[in-house]
Amino acid sequence: METVAGTVTHDPPSAAGGRQGGPLIVTEDTELLDDLLRLCAAAGATPEVHHGVPERRGSWEAAPLVLVGDDAARRVRGAARRRGVVLVGRDQDDSGVWRRAVEIGAEHVLMLPDGEQWLVDRIADVAEGVGRPALTVGVIGGRGGAGASTLACALAVTSAREGLRTLLVDADPLGGGLDVLLGGETAEGLRWPAFASSRGRVGGGALEESLPELHSLRVLSWDRGDRIAVPPQAVRAVLAAARRRGGTVVVDLPRRIDDGVAEVLTQLDVGVLVVPAELRAVAAAGRVASAVGMVLRDLRVAVRGPYPPGLDDREVARLLGLPLVGEVPVEPGLLRPDEGTAPPGAAVRGPLARFCKGFWERALVEAGTA
């Protein structure tokens, strides 16, 4: 940090790795500046600080976020109008703050300390270079052994192979662990228990870097220790962080709906219900669909054969009243990786990989990201 001609300048971080750098702060109020610097530090951002509109050409226009202290509103009136300007003050009873916000073209008026959490989140968003959130897909079995975990892994492996940033989340603490299915149970990285105490905001980049990397994707699974309950607020914070990084997030869901799973469902874009073509499985899947549908709007069905007489994938979808994704193909010789074969979806020309590629092509177009 250096002081030059009355201007305090904090060197902003490089934008490499998708990061845009920190906000621009304009204020002469030392107490307000201390608070804003503290909030920037909490968000993992390094700001640039000035007492007025920066003399350096482009600083005002290029900053991803501009925080103007109420004391400095008069000094920035003549600055070029731009998006992402926040007027920050302390006096909750000052009605004139709204007039000053209009004069400088501010999008938001924020009062401290009440607005601290909102501001930390906003600063962290711009520091991480947040754009379109990840397309988030949940996979759930219509009955036990339906093959939901296999499909979830295959979707994630296929997404990563297509060059998308991909995170696979195991939301079933009683399952065998998706890292095992991917052959990475000994891979270094954090598992769910490490995030049990998470509150508020989790950094998306820090989350991604902390997880095991397997087959070009990141995996959040469970360890082999005693089961630890992860509170709903921690689930919410972790999944929100995963989504902010963009790309795709695939979640393997348990069939029971508790508070933590409900938090996951609220952040899904699409749910895929995997149903074997059996009447009992269809009946069980109907109960699962009813519970999931109370939270998730877009639930679709993927059907696994073989089919008994009089039943096919379209009939299963009709009985459940859900849109049909298609028939999940059987891939001969698909075994656990530690038994000598690649994980689900790794065979590029295999039927399961082709199914998953087609799913992503359609889903990304529907989401407007392709």
Side-chain angles (χ1 to χ4, degrees), residues 59-268:
S59 292
W60 172 270
E61 293 82 2
L65 181 68
V66 178
L67 307 178
V68 179
D70 194 28
D71 67 288
R74 178 179 53 82
R75 296 192 296 278
V76 302
R77 279 183 197 163
R81 293 300 174 100
R82 50 152 295 164
R83 300 185 63 183
V85 175
V86 181
L87 184 62
V88 186
R90 294 180 181 280
D91 187 353
Q92 304 280 355
D93 299 322
D94 181 8
S95 59
V97 70
W98 300 102
R99 172 181 53 80
R100 294 189 291 276
V102 171
E103 289 174 350
I104 66 173
E107 290 184 334
H108 301 279
V109 173
L110 185 77
M111 292 296 171
L112 299 181
D114 292 353
E116 286 193 355
Q117 187 57 58
W118 182 92
L119 188 54
V120 168
D121 289 346
R122 188 73 182 90
I123 295 169
D125 280 345
V126 300
E128 290 184 358
V130 171
R132 185 186 295 272
L135 175 58
T136 307
V137 177
V139 185
I140 187 169
R143 67 155 169 78
S149 296
T150 296
L151 180 58
C153 284
L155 285 171
V157 168
T158 304
S159 170
R161 186 169 54 243
E162 294 297 311
L164 296 170
R165 174 185 282 116
T166 305
L167 175 62
L168 176 61
V169 178
D170 185 352
D172 186 1
L174 299 182
L178 293 187
D179 53 351
V180 177
L181 190 57
L182 291 169
E185 58 266 39
T186 61
E188 292 186 1
L190 300 182
R191 269 67 173 180
W192 265 118
F195 300 98
S197 61
S198 298
R199 300 291 187 276
R201 183 187 178 99
V202 174
L207 171 68
E208 183 176 347
E209 292 170 5
S210 72
L211 300 177
E213 182 174 9
L214 304 168
H215 307 282
S216 300
L217 60 96
R218 298 285 179 166
V219 183
L220 176 54
S221 189
W222 299 86
D223 60 17
R224 255 48 69 184
D226 294 337
R227 180 187 173 189
I228 295 178
V230 179
Q233 58 267 35
V235 174
R236 182 191 315 127
V238 169
L239 194 57
R243 298 190 72 226
R244 285 196 302 271
R245 296 291 287 171
T248 67
V249 175
V250 181
V251 186
D252 183 28
L253 294 160
R255 293 175 59 238
R256 67 191 179 284
I257 310 298
D258 57 21
D259 290 342
V261 174
E263 287 291 348
V264 176
L265 292 174
T266 62
Q267 299 197 51
L268 295 182

